Short mmCIF file of all heavy atoms in Angstrom, two decimals:
data_model
loop_
_atom_site.label_atom_id
_atom_site.label_comp_id
_atom_site.label_asym_id
_atom_site.label_seq_id
_atom_site.Cartn_x
_atom_site.Cartn_y
_atom_site.Cartn_z
N ASP O 1 -48.86 36.36 -2.65
CA ASP O 1 -47.46 36.68 -2.72
C ASP O 1 -47.25 38.23 -2.44
O ASP O 1 -46.19 38.75 -2.26
CB ASP O 1 -46.80 36.43 -4.08
CG ASP O 1 -47.64 37.11 -5.28
OD1 ASP O 1 -48.90 37.19 -5.17
OD2 ASP O 1 -46.94 37.61 -6.21
N ASN O 2 -48.35 38.97 -2.44
CA ASN O 2 -48.40 40.35 -2.16
C ASN O 2 -47.92 40.70 -0.71
O ASN O 2 -48.09 39.85 0.18
CB ASN O 2 -49.73 40.97 -2.34
CG ASN O 2 -49.74 42.47 -2.36
OD1 ASN O 2 -49.78 43.07 -1.20
ND2 ASN O 2 -49.64 43.11 -3.42
N ALA O 3 -47.34 41.77 -0.43
CA ALA O 3 -46.70 42.10 0.87
C ALA O 3 -47.78 42.24 1.89
O ALA O 3 -47.53 42.31 3.11
CB ALA O 3 -45.89 43.49 0.76
N ALA O 4 -49.10 42.47 1.48
CA ALA O 4 -50.21 42.52 2.43
C ALA O 4 -50.36 41.22 3.27
O ALA O 4 -50.83 41.26 4.38
CB ALA O 4 -51.46 42.81 1.70
N TRP O 5 -49.82 40.09 2.67
CA TRP O 5 -49.84 38.81 3.41
C TRP O 5 -48.48 38.59 3.95
O TRP O 5 -47.43 38.47 3.20
CB TRP O 5 -50.22 37.68 2.41
CG TRP O 5 -51.66 37.80 1.95
CD1 TRP O 5 -52.09 38.48 0.93
CD2 TRP O 5 -52.76 37.14 2.59
NE1 TRP O 5 -53.51 38.32 0.82
CE2 TRP O 5 -53.89 37.42 1.75
CE3 TRP O 5 -52.86 36.23 3.67
CZ2 TRP O 5 -55.17 37.09 2.14
CZ3 TRP O 5 -54.18 35.81 4.00
CH2 TRP O 5 -55.34 36.17 3.30
N THR O 6 -48.38 38.53 5.23
CA THR O 6 -47.07 38.17 5.92
C THR O 6 -46.72 36.73 5.85
O THR O 6 -47.61 35.90 6.07
CB THR O 6 -47.14 38.57 7.43
OG1 THR O 6 -47.45 40.00 7.50
CG2 THR O 6 -45.92 38.25 8.13
N LYS O 7 -45.56 36.42 5.35
CA LYS O 7 -45.02 35.01 5.33
C LYS O 7 -44.21 34.69 6.54
O LYS O 7 -43.25 35.34 6.82
CB LYS O 7 -44.35 34.78 4.00
CG LYS O 7 -45.15 34.90 2.77
CD LYS O 7 -45.41 36.32 2.41
CE LYS O 7 -46.09 36.46 1.06
NZ LYS O 7 -46.46 37.88 0.79
N SER O 8 -44.58 33.62 7.20
CA SER O 8 -43.83 33.18 8.36
C SER O 8 -43.28 31.78 8.05
O SER O 8 -44.10 30.83 7.99
CB SER O 8 -44.61 33.20 9.59
OG SER O 8 -43.99 32.67 10.81
N ASN O 9 -42.02 31.73 7.88
CA ASN O 9 -41.43 30.44 7.60
C ASN O 9 -41.91 29.78 6.29
O ASN O 9 -42.13 28.60 6.30
CB ASN O 9 -41.41 29.49 8.73
CG ASN O 9 -40.84 30.00 10.09
OD1 ASN O 9 -39.68 30.50 10.02
ND2 ASN O 9 -41.54 29.99 11.12
N SER O 10 -42.27 30.57 5.43
CA SER O 10 -42.86 30.02 4.13
C SER O 10 -42.60 31.14 3.07
O SER O 10 -42.24 32.22 3.23
CB SER O 10 -44.43 29.97 4.25
OG SER O 10 -45.08 31.26 4.41
N THR O 11 -42.68 30.57 1.73
CA THR O 11 -42.59 31.38 0.57
C THR O 11 -43.82 31.12 -0.24
O THR O 11 -44.57 30.08 -0.09
CB THR O 11 -41.42 31.09 -0.20
OG1 THR O 11 -41.45 29.68 -0.66
CG2 THR O 11 -40.08 31.33 0.64
N ILE O 12 -44.18 32.06 -1.08
CA ILE O 12 -45.27 31.92 -2.02
C ILE O 12 -44.87 31.88 -3.47
O ILE O 12 -44.10 32.76 -3.89
CB ILE O 12 -46.27 33.13 -1.87
CG1 ILE O 12 -46.79 33.25 -0.45
CG2 ILE O 12 -47.47 32.97 -2.87
CD1 ILE O 12 -47.65 32.13 0.01
N THR O 13 -45.35 30.86 -4.17
CA THR O 13 -45.12 30.83 -5.65
C THR O 13 -46.35 31.26 -6.28
O THR O 13 -47.44 30.59 -6.16
CB THR O 13 -44.76 29.32 -6.04
OG1 THR O 13 -43.61 28.91 -5.39
CG2 THR O 13 -44.54 29.28 -7.58
N ALA O 14 -46.39 32.33 -7.06
CA ALA O 14 -47.54 32.97 -7.64
C ALA O 14 -47.94 32.25 -8.93
O ALA O 14 -47.17 31.67 -9.61
CB ALA O 14 -47.27 34.39 -7.92
N ASN O 15 -49.24 32.28 -9.06
CA ASN O 15 -49.90 31.66 -10.33
C ASN O 15 -49.30 30.24 -10.58
O ASN O 15 -48.83 29.92 -11.73
CB ASN O 15 -49.65 32.48 -11.42
CG ASN O 15 -50.12 34.06 -11.19
OD1 ASN O 15 -51.19 34.11 -10.57
ND2 ASN O 15 -49.39 34.92 -11.72
N ALA O 16 -49.34 29.44 -9.66
CA ALA O 16 -48.80 28.08 -9.72
C ALA O 16 -49.85 26.93 -10.12
O ALA O 16 -49.34 25.82 -10.30
CB ALA O 16 -48.10 27.68 -8.33
N ALA O 17 -51.11 27.26 -10.10
CA ALA O 17 -52.16 26.28 -10.42
C ALA O 17 -53.38 26.96 -10.98
O ALA O 17 -53.59 28.12 -10.81
CB ALA O 17 -52.44 25.45 -9.19
N VAL O 18 -54.17 26.18 -11.64
CA VAL O 18 -55.54 26.55 -11.99
C VAL O 18 -56.40 26.78 -10.88
O VAL O 18 -56.61 25.80 -10.11
CB VAL O 18 -56.05 25.71 -13.07
CG1 VAL O 18 -57.49 26.17 -13.55
CG2 VAL O 18 -55.21 25.57 -14.35
N SER O 19 -57.02 27.97 -10.82
CA SER O 19 -57.84 28.26 -9.67
C SER O 19 -59.26 27.84 -9.81
O SER O 19 -59.67 27.46 -10.97
CB SER O 19 -57.87 29.81 -9.37
OG SER O 19 -58.52 30.50 -10.35
N PRO O 20 -60.27 28.08 -8.89
CA PRO O 20 -61.63 27.72 -9.12
C PRO O 20 -62.36 28.56 -10.14
O PRO O 20 -63.43 28.31 -10.47
CB PRO O 20 -62.28 27.95 -7.68
CG PRO O 20 -61.15 27.70 -6.85
CD PRO O 20 -59.90 28.22 -7.50
N ASN O 21 -61.71 29.63 -10.59
CA ASN O 21 -62.40 30.43 -11.70
C ASN O 21 -61.78 30.05 -13.05
O ASN O 21 -62.05 30.65 -14.09
CB ASN O 21 -62.22 31.94 -11.44
CG ASN O 21 -60.72 32.41 -11.63
OD1 ASN O 21 -59.92 31.69 -11.98
ND2 ASN O 21 -60.59 33.74 -11.36
N GLY O 22 -61.02 29.00 -13.14
CA GLY O 22 -60.51 28.43 -14.44
C GLY O 22 -59.28 29.19 -14.94
O GLY O 22 -58.74 28.79 -15.97
N THR O 23 -58.69 30.13 -14.28
CA THR O 23 -57.46 30.82 -14.65
C THR O 23 -56.34 30.31 -13.89
O THR O 23 -56.52 29.75 -12.71
CB THR O 23 -57.60 32.39 -14.49
OG1 THR O 23 -57.68 32.58 -13.14
CG2 THR O 23 -58.83 32.93 -15.26
N THR O 24 -55.08 30.43 -14.34
CA THR O 24 -53.91 30.11 -13.67
C THR O 24 -53.56 31.22 -12.58
O THR O 24 -52.61 31.99 -12.90
CB THR O 24 -52.73 29.75 -14.51
OG1 THR O 24 -53.24 28.78 -15.54
CG2 THR O 24 -51.59 29.14 -13.83
N SER O 25 -54.27 31.28 -11.57
CA SER O 25 -54.06 32.43 -10.59
C SER O 25 -53.97 31.91 -9.21
O SER O 25 -53.82 32.73 -8.34
CB SER O 25 -55.35 33.38 -10.65
OG SER O 25 -56.60 32.69 -10.55
N ALA O 26 -53.94 30.65 -9.07
CA ALA O 26 -53.91 30.17 -7.65
C ALA O 26 -52.31 30.20 -7.32
O ALA O 26 -51.51 29.78 -7.98
CB ALA O 26 -54.40 28.75 -7.46
#
């Protein structure tokens, strides 16, 4: 979701799922 990543015809929902490290950061 950071501005470093350009979104083209898409949006980002932050912290939407449990990641491979076990935290809700995917």
Side-chain angles (χ1 to χ4, degrees):
D1 59 318
N2 189 277
W5 291 87
T6 299
K7 292 78 174 173
S8 178
N9 303 310
S10 68
T11 60
I12 301 293
T13 302
N15 304 325
V18 176
S19 73
N21 71 3
T23 65
T24 306
S25 58

